[in-house]
mmCIF file of all heavy atoms in Angstrom:
data_model
loop_
_atom_site.group_PDB
_atom_site.id
_atom_site.type_symbol
_atom_site.label_atom_id
_atom_site.label_comp_id
_atom_site.label_asym_id
_atom_site.label_seq_id
_atom_site.Cartn_x
_atom_site.Cartn_y
_atom_site.Cartn_z
ATOM 1 N N ARG M 29 299.093 58.310 74.457
ATOM 2 C CA ARG M 29 298.278 57.429 75.382
ATOM 3 C C ARG M 29 297.385 58.262 76.265
ATOM 4 O O ARG M 29 296.195 57.909 76.444
ATOM 5 C CB ARG M 29 299.253 56.660 76.374
ATOM 6 C CG ARG M 29 300.208 55.794 75.610
ATOM 7 C CD ARG M 29 299.798 54.233 75.766
ATOM 8 N NE ARG M 29 300.157 53.588 74.571
ATOM 9 C CZ ARG M 29 299.537 52.563 74.051
ATOM 10 N NH1 ARG M 29 298.340 52.095 74.596
ATOM 11 N NH2 ARG M 29 299.983 51.958 72.942
ATOM 12 N N GLY M 40 285.547 57.810 66.346
ATOM 13 C CA GLY M 40 284.205 57.251 66.641
ATOM 14 C C GLY M 40 283.227 57.814 65.596
ATOM 15 O O GLY M 40 282.149 57.204 65.406
ATOM 16 N N ARG M 61 306.913 58.002 47.919
ATOM 17 C CA ARG M 61 307.589 58.601 46.722
ATOM 18 C C ARG M 61 308.883 59.287 47.153
ATOM 19 O O ARG M 61 309.975 59.184 46.462
ATOM 20 C CB ARG M 61 306.770 59.692 45.994
ATOM 21 C CG ARG M 61 305.632 58.883 45.125
ATOM 22 C CD ARG M 61 304.759 59.901 44.455
ATOM 23 N NE ARG M 61 303.854 60.642 45.270
ATOM 24 C CZ ARG M 61 302.683 60.094 45.596
ATOM 25 N NH1 ARG M 61 302.267 58.958 45.149
ATOM 26 N NH2 ARG M 61 301.853 60.808 46.404
ATOM 27 N N ALA M 98 287.545 53.941 50.664
ATOM 28 C CA ALA M 98 286.484 53.850 49.596
ATOM 29 C C ALA M 98 285.472 52.874 49.969
ATOM 30 O O ALA M 98 284.246 53.171 49.776
ATOM 31 C CB ALA M 98 287.313 53.420 48.248
ATOM 32 N N THR M 115 289.646 67.068 62.347
ATOM 33 C CA THR M 115 290.310 66.317 63.410
ATOM 34 C C THR M 115 291.379 67.114 64.027
ATOM 35 O O THR M 115 292.246 67.654 63.396
ATOM 36 C CB THR M 115 290.979 65.089 62.745
ATOM 37 O OG1 THR M 115 291.797 65.530 61.700
ATOM 38 C CG2 THR M 115 289.949 64.102 62.134
ATOM 39 N N GLY M 122 303.803 61.464 60.030
ATOM 40 C CA GLY M 122 304.780 62.549 60.139
ATOM 41 C C GLY M 122 305.770 62.551 59.014
ATOM 42 O O GLY M 122 306.793 63.176 59.163
ATOM 43 N N GLN M 127 312.507 65.522 53.731
ATOM 44 C CA GLN M 127 313.293 66.171 52.635
ATOM 45 C C GLN M 127 314.371 65.186 52.316
ATOM 46 O O GLN M 127 315.045 64.727 53.104
ATOM 47 C CB GLN M 127 313.884 67.496 53.179
ATOM 48 C CG GLN M 127 312.925 68.641 53.016
ATOM 49 C CD GLN M 127 313.559 69.929 53.565
ATOM 50 O OE1 GLN M 127 314.714 69.938 53.907
ATOM 51 N NE2 GLN M 127 312.853 71.004 53.394
ATOM 52 N N ILE M 128 314.530 64.988 50.915
ATOM 53 C CA ILE M 128 315.512 63.989 50.539
ATOM 54 C C ILE M 128 316.702 64.711 49.977
ATOM 55 O O ILE M 128 317.891 64.410 50.427
ATOM 56 C CB ILE M 128 314.828 63.164 49.421
ATOM 57 C CG1 ILE M 128 313.642 62.436 50.070
ATOM 58 C CG2 ILE M 128 315.909 62.135 48.986
ATOM 59 C CD1 ILE M 128 313.938 61.507 51.179
ATOM 60 N N VAL M 158 289.494 51.516 66.942
ATOM 61 C CA VAL M 158 288.557 51.145 65.886
ATOM 62 C C VAL M 158 288.091 49.751 66.122
ATOM 63 O O VAL M 158 287.853 49.010 65.138
ATOM 64 C CB VAL M 158 289.084 51.368 64.451
ATOM 65 C CG1 VAL M 158 289.368 52.864 64.153
ATOM 66 C CG2 VAL M 158 290.327 50.567 64.186
ATOM 67 N N HIS M 178 310.208 49.236 59.808
ATOM 68 C CA HIS M 178 310.827 50.476 59.401
ATOM 69 C C HIS M 178 311.632 51.145 60.482
ATOM 70 O O HIS M 178 312.718 51.640 60.405
ATOM 71 C CB HIS M 178 309.784 51.489 58.822
ATOM 72 C CG HIS M 178 309.069 50.922 57.605
ATOM 73 N ND1 HIS M 178 307.831 51.363 57.202
ATOM 74 C CD2 HIS M 178 309.391 49.938 56.795
ATOM 75 C CE1 HIS M 178 307.442 50.739 56.181
ATOM 76 N NE2 HIS M 178 308.357 49.847 55.843
ATOM 77 N N PRO M 191 328.463 54.961 63.588
ATOM 78 C CA PRO M 191 328.545 54.273 64.909
ATOM 79 C C PRO M 191 328.804 55.139 66.116
ATOM 80 O O PRO M 191 328.448 54.835 67.216
ATOM 81 C CB PRO M 191 329.643 53.276 64.697
ATOM 82 C CG PRO M 191 330.361 53.674 63.490
ATOM 83 C CD PRO M 191 329.449 54.587 62.665
ATOM 84 N N ARG M 212 303.778 74.371 64.577
ATOM 85 C CA ARG M 212 302.456 74.175 64.019
ATOM 86 C C ARG M 212 301.349 74.546 65.047
ATOM 87 O O ARG M 212 300.404 75.264 64.764
ATOM 88 C CB ARG M 212 302.256 72.705 63.712
ATOM 89 C CG ARG M 212 302.603 72.399 62.298
ATOM 90 C CD ARG M 212 302.314 70.983 62.012
ATOM 91 N NE ARG M 212 303.254 70.558 61.014
ATOM 92 C CZ ARG M 212 303.400 69.254 60.530
ATOM 93 N NH1 ARG M 212 302.627 68.303 61.108
ATOM 94 N NH2 ARG M 212 304.199 68.933 59.643
ATOM 95 N N ILE M 228 287.098 91.403 67.765
ATOM 96 C CA ILE M 228 286.833 92.285 68.894
ATOM 97 C C ILE M 228 286.985 93.695 68.349
ATOM 98 O O ILE M 228 286.240 94.578 68.627
ATOM 99 C CB ILE M 228 287.814 91.983 70.079
ATOM 100 C CG1 ILE M 228 287.326 90.707 70.770
ATOM 101 C CG2 ILE M 228 287.775 93.094 71.137
ATOM 102 C CD1 ILE M 228 288.304 90.065 71.701
ATOM 103 N N TYR M 230 286.747 94.772 65.375
ATOM 104 C CA TYR M 230 285.626 95.063 64.498
ATOM 105 C C TYR M 230 284.367 95.573 65.304
ATOM 106 O O TYR M 230 283.760 96.617 64.909
ATOM 107 C CB TYR M 230 285.219 93.862 63.646
ATOM 108 C CG TYR M 230 284.104 94.067 62.668
ATOM 109 C CD1 TYR M 230 284.497 94.700 61.497
ATOM 110 C CD2 TYR M 230 282.858 93.793 62.960
ATOM 111 C CE1 TYR M 230 283.476 94.959 60.512
ATOM 112 C CE2 TYR M 230 281.791 94.011 61.980
ATOM 113 C CZ TYR M 230 282.118 94.605 60.868
ATOM 114 O OH TYR M 230 281.131 94.868 59.915
ATOM 115 N N HIS M 261 291.753 129.247 41.993
ATOM 116 C CA HIS M 261 292.868 129.585 41.114
ATOM 117 C C HIS M 261 292.606 129.088 39.704
ATOM 118 O O HIS M 261 291.863 128.100 39.589
ATOM 119 C CB HIS M 261 294.138 128.946 41.711
ATOM 120 C CG HIS M 261 294.469 129.311 43.115
ATOM 121 N ND1 HIS M 261 294.633 130.577 43.533
ATOM 122 C CD2 HIS M 261 294.496 128.504 44.190
ATOM 123 C CE1 HIS M 261 294.801 130.554 44.883
ATOM 124 N NE2 HIS M 261 294.726 129.366 45.355
#
Side-chain angles (χ1 to χ4, degrees):
R29 298 257 147 211
R61 281 184 288 276
T115 55
Q127 273 180 1
I128 301 298
V158 296
H178 300 158
R212 269 185 207 169
I228 291 167
Y230 182 81
H261 306 297

